[in-house]
């Protein structure tokens, strides 16, 4: 019954949008139906986000990024992590420009920049140390974002801080 109500509201909003397209040459009609459709969609979104709970299994890099994204979209999310504590282990991680852009989209790029270093050039050598290729990463990724290197634990800490409003249950076993 709940989903049927949502379906009906979506159909009503769709009909209003279609009416707006049909009467596009009449400005006052378009504005009126557009406002009504927007109100229905906003009400529906609020009803769905209020009822929907999302469980994220795993509090690693991906899980915390998803938690941050859902929290920013007003979804009720919870993370379950099987480990009893954050171990801070791992090694360094290299983030190309598109990963940096993803962090920017999460509002976390600056925090990652503060913990890491920008990699402007990359050199690849053979087993004897002879240079095979050198890449100007700053130029290559210029329109996307900087390439970064940081400790995996630092990236995890940035994401954990970014997901601070999302409940996290440690030492949980998912079913």
């Amino acid at each position: 019954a709940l989903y049927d109500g949502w379906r009906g509201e979506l159909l009503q909003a769709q009909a209003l949008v279609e009416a707006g397209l049909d009467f596009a040459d009449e400005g006052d009609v378009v504005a009126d139906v557009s406002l009504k459709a927007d109100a229905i969609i906003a009400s529906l979104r609020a009803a769905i986000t209020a009822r929907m709970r999302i469980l994220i299994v795993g509090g690693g890099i991906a899980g915390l990024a998803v938690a941050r994204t859902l929290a920013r979209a007003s979804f009720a999310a919870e993370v379950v992590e099987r480990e009893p504590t954050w171990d801070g282990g791992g090694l360094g991680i290299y983030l190309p420009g598109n990963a940096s852009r993803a962090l920017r989209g999460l509002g976390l790029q600056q925090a990652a920049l503060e913990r890491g270093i920008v990699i402007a050039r990359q050199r690849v050598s053979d087993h004897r140390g002879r240079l095979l290729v050198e890449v100007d990463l700053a130029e290559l990724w210029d329109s996307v974002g900087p390439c970064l290197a940081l400790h995996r634990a630092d990236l995890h800490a940035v994401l954990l801080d970014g997901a601070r409003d999302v409940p996290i249950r440690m030492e949980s076993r998912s079913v």
Side-chain angles (χ1 to χ4, degrees), residues 56-124:
I56 302 164
V57 179
I61 291 170
L64 293 175
V66 169
R68 166 83 173 184
T69 301
L70 291 171
R72 291 178 80 188
S74 300
F75 285 98
E78 182 177 3
V79 176
V80 291
E81 170 58 45
R82 71 176 169 192
E83 299 299 326
T85 61
W86 306 117
D87 69 2
L91 303 172
I93 189 168
Y94 167 75
L95 302 175
N98 55 343
S100 183
R101 177 178 55 197
L103 287 170
R104 184 173 56 242
L106 291 171
L108 300 174
Q109 183 183 41
Q110 187 58 42
L113 282 165
E114 291 169 5
R115 290 177 173 255
I117 60 168
V118 174
I119 305 295
R121 301 189 77 71
Q122 189 173 50
R123 300 178 74 166
V124 179

Side-chain angles (χ1 to χ4, degrees), residues 123-134:
R123 300 178 74 166
V124 179
S125 302
D126 67 13
H127 67 285
R128 290 193 175 99
R130 288 184 301 219
L131 182 65
L132 298 174
V133 66
E134 186 168 357

Side-chain angles (χ1 to χ4, degrees), residues 19-175:
L21 293 173
D22 288 343
F23 297 100
D25 58 339
E26 299 177 34
D28 58 336
V29 173
V30 173
D32 188 44
V33 296
S34 179
L35 287 174
K36 288 179 183 174
D38 287 348
I40 290 170
I41 297 298
S43 171
L44 187 57
R45 179 183 169 92
I48 291 170
T49 56
R51 292 186 176 276
M52 187 181 298
R53 293 181 51 223
I54 301 168
L55 182 66
I56 302 164
V57 179
I61 291 170
L64 293 175
V66 169
R68 166 83 173 184
T69 301
L70 291 171
R72 291 178 80 188
S74 300
F75 285 98
E78 182 177 3
V79 176
V80 291
E81 170 58 45
R82 71 176 169 192
E83 299 299 326
T85 61
W86 306 117
D87 69 2
L91 303 172
I93 189 168
Y94 167 75
L95 302 175
N98 55 343
S100 183
R101 177 178 55 197
L103 287 170
R104 184 173 56 242
L106 291 171
L108 300 174
Q109 183 183 41
Q110 187 58 42
L113 282 165
E114 291 169 5
R115 290 177 173 255
I117 60 168
V118 174
I119 305 295
R121 301 189 77 71
Q122 189 173 50
R123 300 178 74 166
V124 179
S125 302
D126 67 13
H127 67 285
R128 290 193 175 99
R130 288 184 301 219
L131 182 65
L132 298 174
V133 66
E134 186 168 357
V135 180
D136 183 344
L137 296 172
E139 182 181 332
L140 178 68
W141 291 100
D142 180 54
S143 65
V144 180
C147 297
L148 304 174
L150 66 162
H151 195 281
R152 184 176 289 275
D154 286 336
L155 177 59
H156 190 265
V158 166
L159 290 164
L160 186 59
D161 184 55
R164 68 184 160 276
D165 296 331
V166 177
I168 300 175
R169 283 189 284 146
M170 302 298 289
E171 208 168 4
S172 294
R173 300 281 183 235
S174 59
V175 180

